[in-house]
Amino acid sequence: MKPETEGWVRLAEDDLKAAGLLLEQGFLRHCIFECQQALEKLLKAIWVEQAPQGYPPREHNLVSLAGKLGVQLSTEQLQFLDDLSKQYKPARYADVAVEYSLEEAQNYYCLLYTSPSPR
């Protein structure tokens, strides 16, 4: 694995750990944002690993990133990526903020946390 890839994976792991801590403390919006960030950084790690050089695209749409990578995903996985991508702005910006339930935050976190490691 390239050192740059390891850096992206480490950041993703940190985001997932932060999501767990935020969930425990009841910061649901922040938990969901960190879940989105963790998955985005994992996809960007794949990009860096596969690319001969350069940086991954500066975008937050998980479906688009996965598509550009040619990652083969099930319909259920694509739906999850789409749902989580749609949480990027509401979880981050006050003008489109959403109140999340504990169940929603747990769902996003648990689906990421229990997924197989990309390593």
Side-chain angles (χ1 to χ4, degrees), residues 1-85:
M1 184 182 305
K2 296 177 187 176
E4 298 87 355
T5 305
E6 290 178 0
W8 280 100
V9 171
R10 201 170 29 257
L11 289 173
E13 290 171 342
D14 288 349
D15 286 344
L16 189 56
K17 288 176 190 172
L21 294 171
L22 290 163
L23 180 61
E24 286 176 13
Q25 295 298 314
F27 294 101
L28 308 180
R29 180 173 55 89
H30 301 288
C31 169
I32 292 170
F33 177 72
E34 291 298 330
C35 287
Q36 186 279 335
Q37 287 291 286
L39 196 45
E40 179 181 327
K41 288 172 185 161
L42 281 177
L43 289 170
K44 289 180 178 183
I46 295 168
W47 179 283
V48 169
E49 187 66 18
Q50 291 179 356
Q53 61 183 16
Y55 296 100
R58 292 183 181 258
E59 67 176 277
H60 308 291
N61 185 306
L62 303 174
V63 174
S64 176
L65 285 168
K68 288 176 182 176
L69 290 167
V71 176
Q72 298 296 313
L73 299 170
S74 68
T75 302
E76 183 179 85
Q77 290 168 323
L78 282 170
Q79 185 62 53
F80 177 73
L81 291 183
D82 187 51
D83 289 344
L84 191 52
S85 288

